[in-house]
Amino acid sequence: MRKLLTAFVGSMALAAAPLALSAEATKELKMAYDADPVTLDIHEQLSGGMLQLSHMTFDPLIRWNKDLGFDARLAESWERVDDKTMRFNLREGVKFHSGNELTTKDVKFTYERLKQSSDFKAIFAPFTGINVIDDYTFELVTAEPYPLLLNTATYIFPMDSEFYSGETEDGQSKAAITKHGSSFASGNLSGTGPYIVTSRQQGVRTEFERFADYWDEASPGNVKKIVLTPIKENNTRVSALLSGGVDFIAPVPPTDLDRIKRDKDTDLVTMSGTRIILFHLNQDRVEAFKNPKVRQAVAYAINQEGIAAKIMKGFATPAAQMSPAGYSGHNESLKPRYDVEKAQQLMKEAGYEDGFTITMMSPNNRYVNDDKIAQAAAAMLARINITVDLKTLPKAQYWPEFDARSGDMMLIGWHADTEDSANFFEFLTFCPNADTGAGQYNAGYYCNPEVDALVAKANVETDREKRAAMLQDAEKQLYDDAAFIPLHWQDLAWASKKNVKLEPILNVMNFPYLGDLVVE
């Protein structure tokens, strides 16, 4: 077995492999995001930032392409055995960063870990097991015919079972998943991906080196080293690119799109987005939020079109539901419903004409203009006598507060990584259930068993038109009930120096495939 090199940053230990590189991988990329990954354990948190890290340091069985089809990755082929079983054939000769070889035992280990993860187990609830046929052949089995089996397979990034097995020196399981804690997996990483983490100082800097034994010899990627620096402030991040301090930034704030377009040395890439930004109204903390008329009043009081136009500078699409256009659950009949007089009347009918006071929490470096959106919403609620005590936090501090449901209104963004409407419902509006993982990010404690049952029925419906009708009905019921407050779908923008060929590696999921990046 290849000897491991381990770098220590504070108390953080990071597994690395020898850094001998092919002659082609010679470039360095300095990259600035608005935040860095909160952990190295890819099963600790389901978020865009963690999935970006997954694609850098691990590889999925299959991955989405620009046409929203599937490309073979660690699974080189697959076939349906019956209506509940899909057989996959693993690519042979793939090495982990540790030097261990990928086999089906690693896939089984990963599948079982996903089923235990509080953030991922709801996604894998339709699955009843994994059948290992031999070292390179396995089957995923579902309880019922499941139309999203391949979509879900994009979440399976096989982990190095030998590397993550056993106990640490202090007797803790290396396979343990610890939310916002210190575990072996949160500080050590061995994947099959194009990059090894060689140095990490949370919130300051993370360094990646190209994996010398990376299996994908057809990849055009030629970047040897990536340095990721989190820069929370939008102006500072953009200035770092324009001054030459960094080569690639994301996201690009709407206020700086024209500034970057005017710079002859930079390229800008934009796409319509599918990430919904919304507020949850916590019914466990605020008695008034149990009243649908109060929730409807909040929905009528918040001006989605105004936020999209003024705060997002038009770089967002106002939303009245979770499913964006093109998704099966998108209901064309649902429109934003800003009407302050209507909101005031609903508050009066509900017996809250004089209003009440609530707390609101939002990140300030996770979504584009997230803190400004929260400030605007708080001001709008004052018009219906809801006084807001607003607190904004950096992402690393916000997520523990979100998981603890520490605010009466909490802002969240969600991209359905399965590229399907059901994912929104399962995580954001299902009745919370810690055992199944349903409603894992439902910070409002909203619960509508009829809608949940409808979505569950849709998830075993293989007729596309029937399934779409069910999901559209679910959106309408949630709209009528004001289950949450939708704001907008956030558009996407990235910028880089002209010699960084960004466009080919970008996608609507916002998982840049940096392993394939070419720098001229």
Side-chain angles (χ1 to χ4, degrees), residues 40-219:
L40 295 184
D41 185 348
I42 61 171
H43 295 162
E44 183 179 326
Q45 182 187 75
L46 175 54
S47 68
M50 289 308 302
L51 288 165
Q52 289 172 357
L53 176 71
S54 298
H55 281 284
M56 286 184 71
T57 54
F58 291 80
D59 270 302
L61 294 177
I62 58 178
R63 77 181 182 191
W64 295 101
N65 57 36
K66 286 180 178 288
D67 299 322
L68 294 185
F70 302 107
D71 287 341
R73 299 304 290 168
L74 297 185
E76 60 182 0
S77 64
W78 53 90
E79 60 181 338
R80 185 162 286 285
V81 177
D82 56 45
D83 59 0
K84 300 177 185 177
T85 308
M86 187 77 77
R87 180 172 294 172
F88 292 84
N89 298 298
L90 274 185
R91 196 176 299 277
E92 296 187 26
V94 174
K95 296 289 185 66
F96 285 103
H97 300 161
S98 66
N100 297 328
E101 184 178 352
L102 169 71
T103 68
T104 48
K105 72 177 181 180
D106 303 300
V107 180
K108 188 175 190 292
F109 171 86
T110 304
Y111 168 83
E112 291 172 347
R113 199 169 188 266
L114 285 162
K115 293 280 278 187
Q116 296 167 5
S117 165
S118 60
D119 275 30
F120 285 87
K121 62 185 176 184
I123 293 177
F124 287 88
F127 292 78
T128 57
I130 179 170
N131 298 331
V132 172
I133 309 301
D134 57 39
D135 282 352
Y136 300 102
T137 311
F138 68 94
E139 296 171 344
L140 290 177
V141 184
T142 57
E144 303 289 344
Y146 187 48
L148 303 179
L149 190 148
L150 289 178
N151 303 50
T152 308
T154 66
Y155 284 104
I156 301 177
F157 294 81
M159 298 181 77
D160 187 343
S161 60
E162 184 174 338
F163 181 81
Y164 291 100
S165 292
E167 293 184 347
T168 61
E169 291 182 359
D170 59 359
Q172 299 300 310
S173 169
K174 291 183 178 180
I177 304 171
T178 306
K179 266 281 193 180
H180 314 300
S182 178
S183 67
F184 178 82
S186 70
N188 296 270
L189 189 153
S190 175
T192 61
Y195 290 100
I196 301 160
V197 180
T198 56
S199 174
R200 180 172 182 255
Q201 188 174 356
Q202 176 68 43
V204 178
R205 178 186 177 100
T206 304
E207 296 184 7
F208 303 83
E209 290 277 355
R210 187 85 177 185
F211 178 35
D213 285 339
Y214 185 46
W215 65 269
D216 189 0
E217 296 179 355
S219 171

